[in-house]
Amino acid sequence: MHKNAKSCPHSRAVIVKGHLERGISVAQLSECHQVSASLIYRWLRRYKAGGEAALKMGNSRPKTSPRQTPRWQENAVKALVLGGWEQRRVAETLNLPRSTVSVISRRVCGHLLYKREPVVRYEYDAVGGLIHLDIKRVARFDQPGHRVTGNRSQQSKRAGWEYVHVCVDDYSRWSYAEVLPDQKATSAA
């Protein structure tokens, strides 16, 4: 957060001192600084209780989470999922919603469940043994486009196509590209 933000500790201190030392009303301060009056009153209470240090940013995590899944259920889900049980069966056994079991299993043991298999790369064993061919069709144009002229009403009509033939050798990764007039088999060969 930058130092001149509306609700940084410095700005909070300026607002509180404006009310306490200079006698500016809370309504005027809230309108001037574009924050609610209830927020200013909260900062005033904090300042009176703990001084300028109390205006610092606090932790926004709630003190309690009454609807959080109990730790023993999370451990049970972890044990069953790592034991190979399906999430549907775990949910039925522990009498939990499937979505809860899914969230818990992803959070608690996701890194153990969803390991990615290493990529298996293949490589042909001789130069020239396997060649990849690809043809890319590219539009031809006979006048500059709208990015140059700014005029979208004029278009290149029936200017045709060009075909970029690309060849890559699998073993050596040697490549060759050539622009040809068509994409027929004889041109590709």
Side-chain angles (χ1 to χ4, degrees), residues 128-171:
L130 181 63
I131 297 174
H132 300 278
L133 295 173
D134 190 21
I135 301 172
K136 172 70 177 169
R137 186 170 80 162
V138 182
R140 202 183 297 146
F141 56 91
D142 55 5
Q143 63 187 9
H146 72 275
R147 291 189 183 186
V148 174
T149 63
N151 184 3
R152 287 183 180 264
S153 64
Q154 295 178 347
Q155 296 180 352
S156 296
K157 297 196 183 205
R158 303 188 197 285
W161 301 94
E162 292 181 337
Y163 302 91
V164 181
H165 292 250
V166 180
C167 166
V168 179
D169 178 49
D170 185 67
Y171 182 77

Side-chain angles (χ1 to χ4, degrees), residues 4-115:
N4 295 325
K6 289 181 201 174
S7 64
C8 74
H10 174 73
S11 299
R12 293 176 182 185
V14 167
I15 293 170
V16 167
K17 288 178 183 176
H19 176 70
L20 295 176
E21 295 174 3
R22 293 188 303 192
I24 303 171
S25 71
V26 172
Q28 289 174 333
L29 286 169
S30 68
E31 185 177 331
C32 176
H33 292 279
Q34 297 179 347
V35 293
S36 68
S38 62
L39 189 57
I40 293 176
Y41 283 119
R42 185 183 319 153
W43 294 339
L44 283 168
R45 283 192 306 272
R46 288 182 188 172
Y47 184 78
K48 288 175 184 174
E52 209 166 315
L55 295 177
K56 298 243 187 287
M57 302 290 179
N59 188 355
S60 60
R61 183 175 179 181
K63 290 180 178 65
T64 62
S65 299
R67 296 180 60 114
Q68 183 177 9
T69 307
R71 179 70 62 197
W72 68 268
Q73 278 186 324
E74 287 190 4
N75 291 337
V77 168
K78 179 180 178 181
L80 293 175
V81 167
L82 289 178
W85 285 35
E86 293 180 352
Q87 290 182 1
R88 176 190 51 79
R89 188 171 163 209
V90 172
E92 290 171 358
T93 304
L94 297 177
N95 198 18
L96 289 171
R98 286 187 193 177
S99 59
T100 302
V101 172
S102 176
V103 168
I104 292 171
S105 64
R106 194 175 306 125
R107 182 181 69 233
V108 175
C109 48
H111 61 286
L112 300 172
L113 291 175
Y114 306 112
K115 287 186 178 178

